[in-house]
Amino acid sequence: MIDLHSHLLPAVDDGSRSAAQSAGVLREMAKAGVTDVCLTPHLRAGEVAAGPPAKHEQAFEELMIAAPPMPRLHRGAEVMLDRPFPKDLGQVRRVTLGGTRFMLVEFPRMVAISSVTNALTRIKEAGLLPIVAHPERYSCCTPSTVQRWRGLGAFMQLDATTLFRSSARGVRVRELLEHGLGDIIAGDNHGDSRSVAAGFKFLVEQDGALQADLLTVKNPGAILKEEPLQPVPPLRIKQSLIQRLRVLLEGEE
């Protein structure tokens, strides 16, 4: 399995606080079958042209000393598109996923659909391929909206551990899977126990072994090789009556 969204670059954002903490998480990921992890610390759109900040470079050197041999580590960033994407790309390939054309992006929580559309268009015009991190986080995320984003050339990264939550986010992410609108899943680990492996297990238990393989192995691997992604067939998620009632009681997040 390959996990392309993590905050394990130590002490640079709201993720892991030390190289030792990150190393411990990486060892657990390796035990679960994760072979590759992309380090994607938070970065703002206005910072991408300059490449990784100096503190990110220092943190990476510290992590490489402490990290186990597996999983393999790749560089990247989770870019907050809270302002127009810069026209001068500069060192932008140093913050894309593994130095490819694929860039992991996010938006402010209360983002408008038009803002997402404009931002994704700008990224495509810059010759990059946007991957929207955790689209289910946004209340505007519906299958029709995601279809529109995908029509602009964007890909969708679903959160592995949200797949089995009974919250509104969980409802949205499962709906995307049921419409075949997810391209990869990832753990979004912040120095804790979250892992793409949990999503893989959930999908297999839902009779979705094919989808699990595409979402956690084949498509993430294609991204690192800068190759075309394969479409993921729709998967109907089975839910118990108790889960459905919890969704109704909890309401919107």
Side-chain angles (χ1 to χ4, degrees):
M1 290 170 283
I2 299 171
D3 199 333
L4 295 182
H5 186 175
S6 76
H7 295 271
L8 292 172
L9 198 63
V12 299
D13 58 12
D14 59 344
S16 173
R17 304 317 304 157
S18 70
Q21 181 181 358
S22 295
V25 171
L26 291 168
R27 281 191 286 270
E28 291 303 312
M29 286 184 172
K31 290 178 184 177
V34 178
T35 61
D36 296 79
V37 171
C38 196
L39 307 169
T40 54
H42 291 294
L43 203 64
R44 294 191 176 276
E47 300 173 307
V48 297
K55 65 178 181 179
H56 288 195
E57 300 286 58
Q58 180 179 349
F60 182 67
E61 291 178 6
E62 294 174 358
L63 178 57
M64 289 303 293
I65 294 172
M70 292 292 285
R72 292 178 288 265
L73 299 181
H74 306 269
R75 300 289 297 274
E78 181 181 13
V79 179
M80 170 60 75
L81 298 178
D82 57 349
R83 63 190 68 187
F85 199 70
K87 294 182 179 180
D88 178 13
L89 295 182
Q91 302 293 314
V92 71
R93 283 292 190 110
R94 296 182 63 206
V95 297
T96 56
L97 297 179
T100 68
R101 293 170 59 212
F102 291 95
M103 173 176 280
L104 187 67
V105 301
E106 65 173 343
F107 303 91
R109 294 291 179 91
M110 302 303 292
V111 69
I113 294 177
S114 59
S115 297
V116 176
T117 300
N118 292 337
L120 295 178
T121 300
R122 288 283 296 270
I123 293 176
K124 282 288 291 182
E125 290 174 347
L128 300 173
L129 300 172
I131 300 177
V132 179
H134 41 62
E136 70 278 355
R137 179 175 295 185
Y138 310 113
S139 59
C140 66
C141 172
T142 63
S144 61
T145 297
V146 170
Q147 285 276 25
R148 188 183 315 172
W149 296 344
R150 287 166 64 90
L152 295 171
F155 299 91
M156 300 297 128
Q157 176 258 300
L158 312 181
D159 265 4
T161 54
T162 305
L163 289 172
F164 43 84
R165 289 176 59 184
S166 60
S167 63
R169 286 188 200 176
V171 172
R172 287 193 287 265
V173 75
R174 290 188 291 273
E175 191 172 26
L176 294 182
L177 274 179
E178 291 172 358
H179 284 79
L181 295 175
D183 296 291
I184 64 171
I185 62 173
D188 195 7
N189 187 286
H190 279 63
D192 45 46
S193 61
R194 283 176 282 183
S195 171
V196 68
F200 181 92
K201 180 183 178 191
F202 173 80
L203 293 172
V204 170
E205 290 173 347
Q206 295 286 325
D207 299 323
L210 171 62
Q211 289 84 351
D213 184 53
L214 288 169
L215 290 163
T216 69
V217 181
K218 287 189 169 62
N219 280 348
I223 289 171
L224 291 178
K225 295 176 183 176
E226 207 168 69
E227 296 176 349
L229 276 64
Q230 298 182 42
V232 179
L235 177 64
R236 180 68 178 175
I237 303 298
K238 298 172 288 187
Q239 287 183 277
S240 68
L241 176 61
I242 293 177
Q243 287 175 311
R244 292 197 294 270
L245 288 174
R246 287 180 62 188
V247 170
L248 293 174
L249 292 173
E250 289 181 9
E252 187 69 36
E253 286 189 341

